[in-house]
Amino acid sequence: MASIMRCSTKTGSPAEFTTDCLVAGRERALEVAESFDARALVEQCLAQAPENAPTVAALPGRIKTLLVPPVGRQPLSEAQFRKCAAQAATALAALRVTSAVWCLNDIKVAGANGQRDAYWKTRTGLAALSTAAYRYHEQKSKAPKRRPLSRVAIHAGPGERNQVALAVRHGNALDAGLRFARDLANAPPNVCNPAWLAAQANTLAAHAGVTVETLDEAEMEALGMGAFLSVTRGSDAPAKLIVARYQGAGESDAPVVFVGKGVTFDTGGISLKPGAAMDEMKFDMCGAATAAGALKAAAVAELPINLIAILAAAENMPSGNASRPGDIVTTLSGQTVEILNTDAEGRLLLCDALTFAKRYKPAVVVDVATLTGACVIALGAHASAVFANDDALSAALIAAGATSGDRAWPMPLWEDYQAQLDSNFADVANIGGRPAGAITAACFLSRFAKGFKWAHMDVAGTAYRGGKAKGATGRPTPLLFQYLLDRIASPAAVPKRKAP
Ligand code: BES
Ligand code: MN
Ligand code: ZN
């Protein structure tokens, strides 16, 4: 697995630090340079640097280099600060240094309700660093030679120490969860099959409060999960229903349940996908990876909540044994489904996983899935889609996305769309035609989310990138983790009582 980055908090005067690299805005950088008798040198570097690009200047002494990202006119908007942080983090990760101190709290940022505090700025900076410093080289025959950036301290100004320390604690926990999610999702599909996912999930049990159980196909069969099992029929890799539980609160505290789509490879089955970019369908388990990642982050942060991650893991393959278009299966809920397209497999896994989730008497259930190509058409790569049967839950998820910079946007779940799922032969069909494909997929799931507060996140556009920067993003782990933090901060705003 990718190496761990450890961040810490640093107080005191930056000019007195010892570090490979000090990251600071122009004014602070010049102040530090001054104390090294290198002001003229650094001024020259800054003057020669291309506009809007970070400047790197060597210093003679305890601080080896100065990295000066362009900040621009303050106060910055949140988006400008994110951009600035991303630029600094990318430049820092590209330097051949192993330690750094980052001064980002003297930058003024205008938020919706006044200035953003040191906690938010530190979290935002660490999120950028987490993204910039991540590498996946598990499958390269030679490990990279250079040592990665492993120690970064965030500078806390006077009176900011506690805020920054808490942000660092949360940032480190999120980084651990994100890395876990990304490593799982980036693994090749000949390695990452349902049994391998279960083995990886078992490692979560090393954290205090975490237990992991896995149901095999016989156990799912006995329960009556006919829709789930229909997906795996064509595969030689047995399906698994993985249940990771983190108990950070009292036994009677209703858990938050995250359900993740874990299709370790989606060929489409008998409704075979076209060949182009089919390799990317190894990312069809990103929902499961990020649900597990969020649980890891919560456990590392020792959050006072109960959380369950249910990972619905199966491989969707064509074979003589595979499900056919026209097959009718009986779900765990008792409803029957006509499979009109075997490529609409995610909802077949999730419908049974949602019914299964009900046994935990959840406070809320949030499922996460790379569910539809239609969602990519609707929102692209910038926002995940949120569908919910509860307005407060939807709003809380969208807000958590805005805070964490891992944005999501609401979509309708109106009754009007349900008719597209009518079947002549079963209770419901598994596809609703081309119009509003992301919505009809959510409508299908909604039929299995009765009696509890539920949200569905379609992350088909956000969970991974294709092309040159191909790889898992770890989204929406940051949003999910922030949602948990927000629940703790305002239990009244997110009632823990029973479902509607
Ligand atoms: N895993 C895909 C959805 C997907 C497509 C994710 C592209 C990321 C990028 C899903 O299982 C699927 O194949 N959905 C079908 C549904 C259709 C048959 C109703 C789709 O979107 O085409
Ligand atoms: Mn599919
Ligand atoms: Zn799929």
Side-chain angles (χ1 to χ4, degrees), residues 82-451:
R82 280 187 205 289
K83 200 171 152 210
C84 172
Q87 240 186 356
T90 306
L92 183 57
L95 285 177
R96 293 177 167 266
V97 299
T98 58
S99 73
V101 179
W102 193 357
C103 304
L104 46 66
N105 285 313
D106 39 13
I107 301 173
K108 291 191 171 44
V109 182
N113 312 306
Q115 293 220 343
R116 281 298 198 176
D117 60 10
Y119 174 87
W120 185 87
K121 287 187 277 188
T122 302
R123 285 290 309 280
T124 303
L126 291 186
L129 199 55
S130 186
T131 301
Y134 178 83
R135 300 281 181 281
Y136 181 79
H137 32 61
E138 285 305 293
Q139 311 291 330
K140 302 277 192 191
S141 59
K142 290 197 192 74
K145 279 200 202 85
R146 90 180 151 98
R147 288 197 299 149
L149 179 65
S150 55
R151 282 167 295 131
V152 177
I154 303 296
H155 180 239
E160 292 173 350
R161 184 186 231 284
N162 291 345
Q163 267 189 52
V164 173
L166 185 65
V168 163
R169 186 180 150 79
H170 290 162
N172 276 335
L174 176 56
D175 182 62
L178 262 173
R179 273 166 201 272
F180 187 67
R182 297 178 79 174
D183 283 348
L184 293 179
N186 284 327
N190 58 333
V191 169
C192 176
N193 61 27
W196 183 84
L197 258 190
Q200 299 306 306
N202 280 337
T203 68
L204 292 171
H207 298 288
V210 179
T211 51
V212 185
E213 268 174 291
T214 298
L215 274 67
D216 61 19
E217 289 184 359
E219 289 165 301
M220 287 191 265
E221 182 85 57
L223 285 172
M225 303 180 87
F228 192 121
L229 290 169
S230 75
V231 175
T232 188
R233 290 180 58 89
S235 172
D236 289 343
K240 306 285 176 190
L241 184 66
I242 305 156
V243 183
R245 310 182 63 162
Y246 164 65
Q247 192 174 335
E251 203 118 333
S252 62
D253 232 37
V256 169
V257 178
F258 294 151
V259 176
K261 173 179 174 183
V263 175
T264 60
F265 196 72
D266 181 13
T267 64
I270 295 300
S271 312
L272 195 64
K273 285 183 181 296
M278 203 206 270
D279 68 291
E280 292 178 8
M281 282 300 117
K282 74 170 186 176
F283 295 120
D284 214 17
M285 37 63 73
C286 280
T290 53
L295 186 128
K296 176 154 181 130
V300 171
E302 297 175 359
L303 299 187
I305 45 147
N306 293 335
L307 175 64
I308 301 177
I310 300 177
L311 319 181
E315 188 183 45
N316 187 21
M317 298 288 269
S319 91
N321 212 21
S323 293
R324 295 150 290 246
D327 282 3
I328 293 178
V329 295
T330 303
T331 63
L332 180 57
S333 73
Q335 297 172 77
T336 56
V337 179
E338 185 182 16
I339 302 174
L340 289 176
N341 189 319
T342 64
D343 197 12
E345 83 297 340
R347 60 198 81 181
L348 296 174
L349 294 180
L350 290 175
C351 68
D352 280 349
L354 287 172
T355 305
F356 183 82
K358 207 171 168 175
R359 64 168 59 196
Y360 297 107
K361 301 192 170 53
V364 300
V365 176
V366 180
D367 78 66
V368 184
T370 47
L371 203 63
T372 64
C375 184
V376 188
I377 302 302
L379 292 171
H382 299 295
S384 306
V386 172
F387 303 84
N389 66 8
D390 182 85
D391 289 342
L393 174 57
S394 173
L397 292 169
I398 307 280
T403 304
S404 60
D406 177 10
R407 288 195 286 185
W409 201 246
M411 299 273 273
L413 253 189
W414 299 324
E415 196 54 39
D416 309 55
Y417 293 98
Q418 291 283 358
Q420 284 177 240
L421 295 167
D422 286 349
S423 160
N424 285 354
F425 303 106
D427 296 343
V428 64
N430 80 327
I431 54 169
R434 271 174 61 81
I439 301 174
T440 53
C443 283
F444 178 91
L445 295 178
S446 73
R447 297 177 182 224
F448 303 87
K450 301 285 186 208

